[in-house]
Amino acid sequence: MIIGTLKEIKNHEYRVGLTPESVHELTAHGHQVLVESGAGEGIGAHDPLYARAGATIVKDAADIFARAEMIVKVKEPQSEERAQLRRGQILYTYLHLAPDPEQTHDLIASGATCIAYETVTDANGGLPLLKPMSQVAGRMAIQAGATALEKAHGGRGVLLGGVPGVLPAKVCVIGGGVVGFNAAQMAAGLGADVTILDRSPEVLERLGIYFEARAKTRFSNRANLAECVEEADLVIGAVLIPGAAAPKLVSADMLKTMKKGAVLVDVAIDQGGCFESSHPTTHDDPTYIVEGIVHYCVANMPGAVARTSTYALNNVTLPHALRIADLGWKEALRQDRHLLNGLNVWDGKITYRAVAEALDLPFAAPEDAIA
């Protein structure tokens, strides 16, 4: 199979779909890999490294779109990239379609076969291709939140861990999954006063056992959520419904109860955000203020730590890429039900139910695609 990877063009996105080591694995399986010149610069992987791994360096992204049978990316294709996709071409990347009707309609029109990292599952019910980026984003949320709390950035001027004789900041983490756990781990490690909310008794028990006295847990009902948000210096939005739009848990009215200069970090912004007042921001301009509350809603947070993120991502995406290339996408999906769950768009149809429901579009069973 001819496989192509591109230089990402989203704002401050330095990750790359394939590392030189991944290219070496693919070429060892007999596949041809096309790499856009400069694609790996953001992780310190220059063109000669890719060439030594067996890649063909291509100057023009359009040439890769024209030649490659499978495109391996990190972020969702931007409008100029979507215009170059063709019928039957495989797109393997993060998509986050539920809050993005424009992208969804473009992918439908392209006729491409689109497999989304974020909806591939595993035998334990997890999302293994999303997990490493959730780990990165959860940890980065605390770094970003701590910076936004500084007075020069519009925050309250509060140090997360406090100092002797001065109380630490109160951090409210909404959601106890991978993002929430990693955020709480970082915040507790810095000495903050951490509360984690979740609706699953099993998750709350697991978090309580892990953190013991270093963080508190609360059941996430309306009253507890409102109280936690009102008292917090920093709120981390870490909720996820796989493939679907995030629920709006913090309303615009709740902002009025918060301390002026408090910070909201919406890690769910890729899926539309879990704060009513959220809208996507970029690394160039990461924050804005509503009702005196600082909002950090960068949609590609892990892109800021591109080397760590790229290698963590390739560790989990490469095995599936190899199977798709070795077997062809239909046979790979036939043999692996969990990979089949990653199929979001095929032959002009939506094949992931949560996306179809979120955008009020017709749904086609993914089994039809591999029949």
Side-chain angles (χ1 to χ4, degrees):
M1 183 178 284
I2 303 174
I3 301 158
T5 199
L6 308 161
K7 185 177 178 66
E8 297 287 333
I9 60 174
K10 190 163 185 170
N11 178 272
H12 282 287
E13 181 52 73
Y14 303 108
R15 291 173 290 180
V16 62
L18 295 170
T19 65
E21 292 84 353
S22 294
V23 168
H24 184 75
E25 290 293 322
L26 288 162
T27 56
H29 280 237
H31 306 294
Q32 182 181 1
V33 182
L34 311 177
V35 176
E36 183 181 359
S37 181
E41 294 291 327
I43 65 166
H46 308 299
D47 290 353
L49 278 177
Y50 281 102
R52 286 199 294 272
T56 300
I57 307 302
V58 178
K59 290 185 178 181
D60 189 356
D63 191 21
I64 293 179
F65 277 107
R67 294 167 59 189
E69 297 165 86
M70 176 164 66
I71 301 289
V72 180
K73 280 177 49 58
V74 178
K75 288 305 293 177
E76 71 280 356
Q78 304 302 289
S79 58
E80 64 191 78
E81 296 173 316
R82 299 194 295 268
Q84 298 178 76
L85 291 168
R86 64 178 188 273
R87 182 165 299 278
Q89 193 170 44
I90 304 163
L91 175 65
Y92 180 50
T93 187
Y94 286 118
L95 292 175
H96 300 291
L97 294 178
D100 193 347
E102 183 180 349
Q103 182 196 178
T104 304
H105 286 294
D106 284 352
L107 294 182
I108 290 171
S110 75
T113 298
C114 306
I115 300 170
Y117 295 161
E118 73 272 10
T119 62
V120 174
T121 55
D122 63 21
N124 300 316
L127 302 170
L129 277 58
L130 186 61
K131 184 176 181 178
M133 296 304 94
S134 296
Q135 292 169 328
V136 171
R139 295 178 182 214
M140 284 193 68
I142 299 303
Q143 291 182 192
T147 300
L149 270 172
E150 295 174 11
K151 195 67 179 176
H153 296 283
R156 297 191 68 225
V158 173
L159 183 66
L160 276 188
V163 293
V166 181
L167 290 173
K170 290 191 174 183
V171 177
C172 172
V173 180
I174 307 172
V178 177
V179 170
F181 171 79
N182 280 271
Q185 193 178 43
M186 288 289 284
L190 289 169
D193 180 353
V194 182
T195 301
I196 314 164
L197 295 105
D198 201 277
R199 296 183 67 85
S200 166
E202 292 79 12
V203 169
L204 293 172
E205 181 178 4
R206 185 168 67 248
L207 293 169
I209 291 170
Y210 177 85
F211 285 104
E212 296 181 327
R214 294 181 296 127
K216 301 181 284 290
T217 60
R218 296 187 73 175
F219 183 78
S220 185
N221 56 33
R222 293 177 186 273
N224 288 345
L225 176 61
E227 182 180 330
C228 190
V229 168
E230 181 179 356
E231 295 176 350
D233 297 292
L234 172 60
V235 180
I236 307 296
V239 295
L240 173 70
I241 300 174
K248 304 295 185 186
L249 298 179
V250 176
S251 68
D253 287 340
M254 290 170 72
L255 298 188
K256 299 172 184 177
T257 72
M258 297 179 68
K259 307 168 186 174
K260 298 304 177 186
V263 174
L264 300 177
V265 177
D266 198 341
V267 188
I269 194 65
D270 273 330
Q271 295 293 132
C274 59
F275 308 137
E276 188 179 352
S277 49
S278 290
H279 64 74
T281 61
T282 66
H283 288 289
D284 270 344
D285 189 14
T287 63
Y288 59 93
I289 296 175
V290 178
E291 298 285 355
I293 309 304
V294 181
H295 291 59
Y296 180 99
C297 304
V298 174
N300 60 326
M301 289 175 64
V305 286
R307 186 173 177 85
T308 296
S309 298
T310 295
Y311 277 92
L313 182 60
N314 271 240
N315 288 344
V316 294
T317 57
L318 177 64
H320 291 300
L322 282 167
R323 279 193 285 274
I324 293 168
D326 289 347
L327 302 172
W329 71 268
K330 282 192 177 185
E331 186 58 29
L333 270 58
R334 284 191 193 106
Q335 293 187 16
D336 188 343
R337 176 76 198 186
H338 298 295
L339 183 56
L340 179 61
N341 289 334
L343 187 65
N344 277 218
V345 182
W346 161 74
D347 193 30
K349 304 176 183 68
I350 297 295
T351 52
Y352 196 80
R353 188 177 295 278
V355 171
E357 291 175 352
L359 298 177
D360 195 24
L361 291 169
F363 168 72
E367 290 79 9
D368 293 346
I370 59 172

